[in-house]
Amino acid sequence: MLTRKQHELLLFIHERLKETGIPPSFDEMKEALDLASKSGIHRLITALEERGFIRRLPNRARALEVLRLPDSIAPGLPGSARRFQPSVIEGSLGKTSEPARPAAPASTPVEDSGAYSVPVMGRIAAGVPIDAIQHQTHSITVPPDMLSGGEHYALEVKGDSMIEAGIFDGDTVIIKHSSSANPGEIVVALVDDEEATLKRLRRKGASIALEAANPAYETRIFGPDRVKVQGKLVGLIRRY
């Protein structure tokens, strides 16, 4: 559930801490990941921290602690032999080569029940962006009053940044496919054509703000060309 760059940065920090006991500098991380600016490193570190892989220690410069590694890192192998394998469900939802729409079939009636079957398209981060998603994993049954006209799909929530909106880690959200939304609506947003996240949409002048519903997370602001709306939240399912 990490992007390729997030995987690479986490492994680089982990290996550097193992070798020297000192985290790499931002310049070293930028060079190692071949990024054009340190702002990309800030974004990746924030993503890793919010998803519980690393921790920034307060009041200490360059103080990073690796809390855990993805399951996809093979245990017991030396650093250079380890290979990250993203565990996200990959796809092209929102990519410009094709219309941005789920690949799964639209919601369909469940015979004799009055309910509808909605395709579950993978996981979405209610914290920081994860890779865009498109392959159907399974389907769930939802009541008809949760759906309106148009195509719908479901996503499993990972993270806690939307808890004050009543959306918790492990919930399943029902999304109506849409390429636009009004300020204040909770949306699936695609950032930089590669990462998707569940956030409340706001406008900051000409920019777009993706706002968390948890004071522990900062609002992230992007230029309008960096964010594409993939759908709007219309319902939520929680299992107890």
Side-chain angles (χ1 to χ4, degrees):
M1 296 175 296
L2 294 178
T3 67
R4 179 176 59 85
K5 288 295 186 184
Q6 289 166 1
H7 270 106
E8 291 176 359
L9 181 59
L10 179 60
L11 182 57
F12 181 65
I13 295 171
H14 173 65
E15 294 299 332
R16 180 60 64 88
L17 284 170
K18 276 204 319 180
E19 293 170 1
T20 68
I22 302 173
S25 68
F26 275 74
D27 284 325
E28 290 170 330
M29 289 185 275
K30 178 174 73 72
E31 182 177 349
L33 271 67
D34 194 27
L35 295 180
S37 70
K38 287 189 285 189
S39 63
I41 296 296
H42 281 283
R43 182 165 66 91
L44 292 171
I45 286 179
T46 299
L48 291 170
E49 182 180 31
E50 290 176 345
R51 298 177 69 189
F53 287 96
I54 65 173
R55 178 173 61 184
R56 279 183 277 204
L57 304 179
N59 304 318
R60 292 173 57 188
R62 288 178 53 178
L64 295 173
E65 178 184 7
V66 175
L67 301 177
R68 64 187 179 97
L69 295 173
D71 295 337
S72 55
I73 299 180
L77 295 180
S80 61
R82 298 185 184 189
R83 292 293 182 269
F84 287 111
Q85 296 295 329
S87 56
V88 296
I89 299 168
E90 297 179 346
S92 57
L93 180 60
K95 299 298 169 75
T96 55
S97 58
E98 295 182 4
R101 55 183 293 167
S107 51
T108 55
V110 177
E111 188 175 358
D112 299 328
S113 70
Y116 282 78
S117 177
V118 172
V120 179
M121 305 297 287
R123 286 187 174 183
I124 185 74
V128 296
I130 59 176
D131 275 5
I133 35 191
Q134 176 146 351
H135 294 298
Q136 179 180 355
T137 60
H138 58 284
S139 297
I140 59 171
T141 301
V142 302
D145 58 0
M146 191 176 288
L147 307 178
S148 56
E151 294 182 352
H152 294 77
Y153 58 97
L155 295 167
E156 296 172 349
V157 174
K158 178 70 174 178
D160 64 355
S161 78
M162 298 302 290
I163 56 175
E164 292 192 359
I167 302 170
F168 297 93
D169 184 76
D171 286 347
T172 299
V173 289
I174 309 301
I175 304 297
K176 179 179 179 180
H177 177 71
S178 175
S179 59
S180 63
N182 297 318
E185 291 184 309
I186 296 174
V187 302
V188 173
L190 186 71
V191 180
D192 294 333
D193 281 332
E194 66 174 12
E195 298 176 319
T197 189
L198 186 72
K199 288 289 184 294
R200 194 178 299 279
L201 183 73
R202 300 290 189 188
R203 302 282 180 180
K204 299 287 185 181
S207 299
I208 293 176
L210 299 180
E211 180 184 87
N214 182 336
Y217 293 80
E218 64 181 13
T219 296
R220 307 177 71 223
I221 300 176
F222 302 92
D225 59 333
R226 295 183 60 191
V227 177
K228 297 176 182 177
V229 173
Q230 303 292 285
K232 301 188 290 187
L233 176 72
V234 297
L236 181 145
I237 295 174
R238 179 172 300 149
R239 292 180 173 87
Y240 293 93

